[in-house]
Amino acid sequence: MAALDHTVDKLAELNPRKFGHVSYPFNRKEVKDHGEGGIVVGAGLTGKRILIIGTAIKEAIGIIKKQGGILVDVIIALDRMEKMAAKEGQADEEPRGIAIGEIKQDFGALALSYWL
């Protein structure tokens, strides 16, 4: 998280007009019922355009929708080329797309991945 914090701060410092409004939230492992509470820490999501960077994409999409955010795209640092789950009645050995394609298909988001 420190790297993301530093990146957002540095972008705002270098070009405040373009990046000064950029913020970042992250989700907790479980909902907190005291203090500031909730599942999201940091900037609120309501009405904001959200770029997911990381893993647990379907979980993140669910949180974004519940919190009123707008999913823009997804960036995955390491694509393990996992196959999409088999549909009901589909044999495991039948050809299927990769899981990253399922994000575009099911949620309409561009999912980018990079080989490191």
Side-chain angles (χ1 to χ4, degrees):
M1 190 52 58
L4 181 57
D5 181 23
H6 178 72
T7 301
V8 171
D9 289 344
K10 194 63 172 175
L11 286 170
E13 179 185 314
L14 293 172
N15 190 336
R17 175 179 257 161
K18 187 171 184 177
F19 298 109
H21 68 285
V22 173
S23 57
Y24 66 95
F26 59 94
N27 62 308
R28 291 187 166 102
K29 189 168 49 173
E30 15 183 88
V31 176
K32 185 176 171 186
D33 61 0
H34 60 283
E36 64 183 49
I39 190 83
V40 176
V41 176
L45 304 179
T46 305
K48 293 193 179 166
R49 295 167 39 92
I50 308 295
L51 168 67
I52 297 174
I53 301 172
T55 58
I57 294 164
K58 288 185 179 181
E59 176 186 0
I61 290 171
I63 292 169
I64 290 166
K65 286 183 176 187
K66 284 181 187 173
Q67 298 288 321
I70 303 158
L71 176 63
V72 176
D73 289 320
V74 176
I75 295 177
I76 301 168
L78 179 61
D79 183 1
R80 298 183 305 192
M81 303 293 286
E82 295 174 351
K83 289 197 289 185
M84 291 172 60
K87 305 253 187 257
E88 190 173 325
Q90 183 179 23
D92 191 49
E93 58 276 351
E94 286 184 46
R96 300 189 304 274
I98 58 173
I100 196 169
E102 188 176 20
I103 300 301
K104 182 173 174 98
Q105 176 183 312
D106 291 353
F107 302 104
L110 175 62
L112 302 172
S113 65
Y114 297 95
W115 289 91
L116 302 175

